[in-house]
Amino acid sequence: MNKTPIKKIKSWYTRFQISKSPQMNLVWGFFLYTLIGFLLLALPIFHKGELSILDSLFTSTSAVSTTGLVTVNIFESYNFFGQFIIMVLIQIGGIGYMTLTTYYLLFTTKRITHWHQRVIGAEFTLPNTIKIRDFIRSVITFTIIMEVLGAIGFYFAFAQHGMTGLRAIWFSIFHSVSAFCTAGFALFDNSFESFSTDVWINTIISILAIAGSLGFIVITDLWYRLRGRTKRLSFTTKIISYGFLALLGIGTLFFYFGEPLTAESNSPWLLSFFQAMTAMTTVGFNTVPIGELGLPILLLVTFLMYIGASPSGTAGGLKITTLTALISVLKSRLFGQQQISFLGRKIPFERLYVATSTFILYTGIIFLFTFLLSFTESFPMDKILFEVASSLGTVGLSTGITGDLSVGGKLLIIILMFTGRVGVLTFGFALLARSSSEELSIKSDDLAV
Amino acid sequence: MNKTPIKKIKSWYTRFQISKSPQMNLVWGFFLYTLIGFLLLALPIFHKGELSILDSLFTSTSAVSTTGLVTVNIFESYNFFGQFIIMVLIQIGGIGYMTLTTYYLLFTTKRITHWHQRVIGAEFTLPNTIKIRDFIRSVITFTIIMEVLGAIGFYFAFAQHGMTGLRAIWFSIFHSVSAFCTAGFALFDNSFESFSTDVWINTIISILAIAGSLGFIVITDLWYRLRGRTKRLSFTTKIISYGFLALLGIGTLFFYFGEPLTAESNSPWLLSFFQAMTAMTTVGFNTVPIGELGLPILLLVTFLMYIGASPSGTAGGLKITTLTALISVLKSRLFGQQQISFLGRKIPFERLYVATSTFILYTGIIFLFTFLLSFTESFPMDKILFEVASSLGTVGLSTGITGDLSVGGKLLIIILMFTGRVGVLTFGFALLARSSSEELSIKSDDLAV
Ligand SMILES: [K+]
Ligand SMILES: [K+]
């Protein structure tokens, strides 16, 4: 008798899901988790002090979208249970709500429906060659292994700085999840600036963030290669790996030679690598005060945040694959080539079409929101642009203006974080397209739920 | 005997032209005029005071590219003959060197070669339906009529401000040419700020600049329509006219309601209209101090300069036609449509390809040069971005930093003005493509030179 209302809601929600396009389902899913997180975080029992309704909405959106921008200090504003909720929201957002529900289905029904495959495909833009089931299993296994190893690593690292007991255990788990999901939430009041020269901590964060952001496709692909299941890396994995290394190298070099702050550091190369890494993986931890960077390097970091990393991982941004497609279009035009290709491989028209649309929309949104924030805020343009690129790319780096934003400004950033997590094209399509709901409802009897 | 060396050079240059792609010919043509202008303007006999070599190169490039950015005050730095040279450079740049040479050919050889048609086509991106000869004749006739009428209008307008005699005649001619070619060079020390409430002067400039920038194709098309030669406006003319009016309206409204400076003016609507017009037509005269605009409206003006106007006129920028193509791509993607169309008309793949390539390259250059200038200059980002958009769009508006740029900064702006005039895609193609020179040299016996 007790289960009836829950069953009713479940049944209603299933019918609701079926009536919407896969894209709209993603939007509703993220919205639902954000809403639940907001309602929980708004409860005073999870607070250490006074917190506004808007700040709770901001924190919840930032956590589910794995952005990490904060208007309040997390450790000083939320008690342990509040912090725990934030970590859960990060975990849900990071792996993706649809991956989790599909995982649930995988181990309860032993099969995945056509419909769920479509939804997953919409989120992760999978090449068709990789099987969904292996993919999901790899995601979960990999996440658990990495986060456990990361937490152990953090525990010993923090111990060297005199942190012990329950506090050390909690900080280790929280930051491991936050790093692997590229969320960038920190319990320290200045992110990881106090650990800027600690090679051990820098390494742990970098490994977790690169693994999480490079993406499950790349990791799966590399894993298959290592176990000898395939003889060659897929084209996508190659592009992402090479592109990531190239941009990371360029970013580190520019930072080292272009940023005066490195001269004051004992570990200038580590500092340069870490800030380039944090922007590209969109983890968003920082070891130097971003607000003190010179304009050239602030623009460089903005560019790295704009590009981001892999389309399959937890990172935001335009993605390296999109950048590759754009470079290919331009290259073939400028060199007068008949075919649009990269590294000798022809790129399908559909991919170019998606890449171009994403580029137009992503760039347009960045300009539009910089324009809108220039009305609501009185900060200089570089800081506003940085905040916009950081929130849409779900990076979470900030020059320090987040807490001082106006109410309108905070709402605009909330919209950007949410849009960035869902994906600009997916979000736009969900809102505007006459959904293929007819087709879906016809096939809905395939559903195993 | 006297003519032999000139004939030799002519003959050599003709062979040189034939060996290059049409795009490379355009680049060389503009380069040659810039070089000649630079060498002339560097001569002290045309100066009123001391002028550096770099300033002469800057002025020459700015004139040939019809940008209008200046590092020195033109009236106080150059004597009458120097100013006259600048006006000639503006006229050459505005109508385009290839249009002039083709016009020359038209009235000497009575026919235009296939090769010249290709070059003209590359510069003005003509729809094939309009004939080259009519086009050229309209360009020249229209230019002369407009510039003469403009000069007469200016003469009476300046008279009302107490300007008389030779000075009034010279100022009228110079500013008429400068306005119609959307060059924006002024002989006043604060552009047209002293005339901000003069409806007559504002109207003359607006008519000249809109006619020049909307482009010869649009004018020819409207002319044909008026004389009843065609029954309907072409699709391109419609797109350009509607797009121009829409952006001009939006720009004026935002300026009026978003810029505090309008509150201080006696003619706030005129002021708002004129600044939106000057950015879109890329004429670059201003009636308010641009450096005093608030950030939101500075970004609005940056956006209007970025878009510009018609692909066939004297204006720079991304062009309204490119914007239309990009909107079409995005629209069809977001609404899940099979066909890429605008106002019910399918847009050819080739146009979409060109528009996309232009957008990627144009936006990339703006970001790259903003980044580079952030190293060489110490101005805030909004002013640097504005200067970059202004120079690449050949607009010539400035927040006032042009004269204070470093040597490196001036050289970067010179490159941008030149690239903007040639066109980003044309310039890129000229530099990178394995030119179709083989094909050209085979057909070179068609040439009438
Ligand atoms: K993040
Ligand atoms: K101009």
Side-chain angles (χ1 to χ4, degrees), chain B residues 67 69 305 385-398:
Chain B
T67 305
L69 283 174
M305 296 196 299
L385 176 69
F386 192 91
E387 200 81 1
V388 168
S390 177
S391 48
L392 188 61
T394 71
V395 183
L397 292 171
S398 176

Side-chain angles (χ1 to χ4, degrees), chain A residues 66-68 182-184 282-284 394-396:
Chain A
T66 70
T67 304
T182 65
T282 76
V283 63
T394 70
V395 183

Side-chain angles (χ1 to χ4, degrees), chain A residues 254 257-258 295-297 299-300 302-303 306 325-340 349-350 353-354 356-361 363-364 367 370-371 374-375 379-382 384-385 424-425 427-430 432-434, chain B residues 254 257-258 295-297 299-300 302-303 306 325-340 349-350 353-354 356-361 363-364 367 370-371 374-375 379-382 384-385 424-425 427-430 432-434:
Chain A
F254 264 104
F257 290 107
L295 180 57
I297 298 309
L299 288 176
L300 172 79
T302 306
F303 176 72
Y306 172 75
L326 297 174
I327 291 171
S328 308
V329 169
L330 198 55
K331 182 174 69 76
S332 79
R333 184 80 211 173
L334 292 181
F335 286 90
Q337 292 160 345
Q338 292 296 317
Q339 198 169 271
I340 298 176
F349 175 76
E350 176 65 15
Y353 184 29
V354 171
T356 306
S357 308
T358 307
F359 177 56
I360 297 170
L361 192 56
T363 309
F367 190 86
T370 303
F371 180 56
S374 76
F375 278 102
F379 301 109
M381 185 194 171
D382 50 343
I384 293 178
L385 176 68
V424 291
L425 215 55
F427 198 18
F429 188 87
L432 298 174
R434 309 269 169 77
Chain B
F254 264 104
F257 291 107
L295 180 58
I297 298 308
L299 288 176
L300 172 79
T302 305
F303 176 71
Y306 172 75
L326 296 175
I327 291 172
S328 309
V329 169
L330 199 54
K331 183 174 67 76
S332 79
R333 184 79 212 173
L334 291 181
F335 286 90
Q337 293 160 346
Q338 291 298 315
Q339 198 168 273
I340 297 177
F349 176 76
E350 176 64 17
Y353 185 27
V354 171
T356 306
S357 308
T358 306
F359 177 57
I360 298 170
L361 192 55
T363 308
F367 189 86
T370 302
F371 180 56
S374 76
F375 278 103
F379 301 110
M381 184 194 171
D382 52 342
I384 292 177
L385 176 69
V424 291
L425 214 54
F427 199 18
F429 188 86
L432 298 175
R434 310 267 169 78

Side-chain angles (χ1 to χ4, degrees), chain A residues 75 80 151-152 154-175 187:
Chain A
F75 189 73
F80 169 75
I152 295 169
F154 269 128
Y155 184 82
F156 288 107
F158 289 147
Q160 289 190 310
H161 292 268
M163 200 191 291
T164 52
L166 284 176
R167 183 188 166 98
I169 293 173
W170 173 232
F171 271 53
S172 300
I173 295 172
F174 185 92
H175 289 105
L187 298 177

Side-chain angles (χ1 to χ4, degrees), chain B residues 66-67 182-184 282-284 394-396:
Chain B
T66 71
T67 305
T182 65
T282 76
V283 62
T394 71
V395 183

